[in-house]
Amino acid sequence: MLKRESVQSIDIGCEITSDVIGWYGDVMNRNEAKKGKFTKWFFDTSLAGDCQLDIDSGNPVLSPDDYYDKVDLDITNKEWAKNLSFTECNLWFFPYCNNKHYIMICVNIKAERFEVLDSLRHKDFEKTYKSMAERVVQYAINYMKTQFADRTVRWERFSWFKLEKVTQPDQISCGMYVIRWMRHWEGKYNSALTKDWKRIDLINEERECLMLDIILDEENLERERIMKEATKYCNMKNKKKELKGRK
């Protein structure tokens, strides 16, 4: 459930919250479910965070078994996700936030790659993100083995891929890039991800589209009320225009 402050974080000049990214992943999963099969699966930001090491003990926040239970609970709590097979799922998305910066870790089974999508293209990736990304990937592999009982995946052949062609033009839009990757990343570059995406005005347009997605979402409890208010407002504006024209 998105709270007011989370929705407000989509406004121009703001940094969107993990709640918004998690909500959008849920929307993308629902869209996959409508197809009758999953070719992509989008995890919540908290699941990557649970793979982190505890500062005091140096141990993972969650054990692998607890992690699997949490993932299963997240899936089985969704009515639309029950009884759907993951055997055809080729792209698994793990958004991760480190020191207020969001990156996407994508496990691309078909291409046999672990893909790191970072809109700031950190030069110190090996030092800053690599160990965390490796933990996320290892947890993901162990979980996927439970989902791919009838599918052979040669994990030892997987290589690391780091995004090089996208750079955000500011310091606050990384969350919007993560959502953009959810929409368009298929394991390769395309115009939706690279062309003019460095322009602030286009990023702001994307924010507006995201706000509309929230308003029009089928699970938005306030959708009907907002639509009625919008219709009422438009009718009022049209009447004022009509009266002004008669004068």
Side-chain angles (χ1 to χ4, degrees):
M1 182 176 292
L2 287 178
K3 296 181 180 179
R4 181 187 297 270
E5 53 267 30
S6 295
V7 176
Q8 290 173 335
S9 74
I10 302 171
D11 197 9
I12 293 172
C14 299
E15 298 179 64
I16 66 172
T17 64
S18 295
D19 288 345
V20 174
I21 294 173
W23 167 83
Y24 195 75
D26 198 49
V27 169
M28 295 296 286
N29 286 332
R30 272 189 273 138
N31 291 340
E32 288 292 302
K34 289 174 183 176
K35 301 175 186 176
K37 61 182 180 181
F38 286 104
T39 57
K40 301 177 183 178
W41 180 258
F42 302 86
F43 285 76
D44 187 87
T45 53
S46 66
L47 291 173
D50 289 333
C51 301
Q52 296 182 81
L53 298 181
D54 180 74
I55 296 176
D56 297 324
S57 67
N59 297 320
V61 175
L62 279 186
S63 70
D65 286 341
D66 288 339
Y67 180 82
Y68 310 150
D69 289 343
K70 187 170 182 179
V71 173
D72 282 331
L73 183 62
D74 181 59
I75 293 172
T76 55
N77 275 343
K78 310 290 193 304
E79 186 64 33
W80 42 264
K82 292 178 180 178
N83 303 318
L84 287 174
S85 173
F86 288 89
T87 56
E88 295 183 65
C89 190
N90 281 314
L91 290 171
W92 299 66
F93 292 83
F94 295 84
Y96 168 61
C97 184
N98 182 64
N99 195 25
K100 296 186 178 181
H101 176 61
Y102 289 99
I103 66 172
M104 180 69 80
I105 301 169
C106 181
V107 178
N108 188 330
I109 294 173
K110 188 174 182 179
E112 297 185 334
R113 296 192 313 196
F114 305 126
E115 299 164 340
V116 179
L117 312 179
D118 178 6
S119 56
L120 286 181
R121 296 193 296 174
H122 281 90
K123 294 179 180 179
D124 60 345
F125 169 73
E126 296 288 331
K127 178 181 178 181
T128 308
Y129 292 113
K130 185 68 178 289
S131 61
M132 176 60 217
E134 286 177 339
R135 284 199 296 278
V136 171
V137 162
Q138 190 55 58
Y139 273 50
I141 288 173
N142 292 341
Y143 178 73
M144 289 174 191
K145 285 178 180 177
T146 69
Q147 299 294 332
F148 296 149
D150 301 322
R151 181 176 177 184
T152 301
V153 180
R154 299 180 179 179
W155 299 106
E156 70 281 359
R157 294 171 51 174
F158 279 50
S159 59
W160 284 89
F161 167 82
K162 192 163 168 256
L163 192 72
E164 296 292 348
K165 293 185 179 179
V166 177
T167 307
Q168 67 188 68
D170 55 24
Q171 296 298 311
I172 63 171
S173 296
C174 53
M176 293 304 303
Y177 276 84
V178 165
I179 286 176
R180 192 70 168 173
W181 288 320
M182 287 183 184
R183 286 185 178 178
H184 298 289
W185 183 253
E186 299 285 348
K188 60 183 179 181
Y189 294 104
N190 57 61
S191 60
L193 290 167
T194 57
K195 187 178 180 181
D196 292 332
W197 188 232
K198 294 181 182 180
R199 287 170 44 188
I200 288 291
D201 59 325
L202 293 182
I203 295 174
N204 291 338
E205 284 182 15
E206 191 76 10
R207 289 176 181 271
E208 293 173 0
C209 291
L210 182 59
M211 186 68 75
L212 282 175
D213 287 340
I214 290 175
I215 293 172
L216 298 176
D217 183 39
E218 60 190 30
E219 293 196 0
N220 180 9
L221 300 178
E222 297 293 325
R223 175 181 171 177
E224 294 303 319
R225 183 186 65 80
I226 293 172
M227 294 295 288
K228 285 179 181 178
E229 290 295 325
T231 301
K232 182 179 177 182
Y233 176 76
C234 289
N235 289 338
M236 181 184 68
K237 292 276 286 184
N238 290 334
K239 282 183 180 179
K240 284 185 177 180
K241 267 188 188 178
E242 188 179 334
L243 289 172
K244 190 175 180 180
R246 288 177 183 175
K247 290 179 182 179

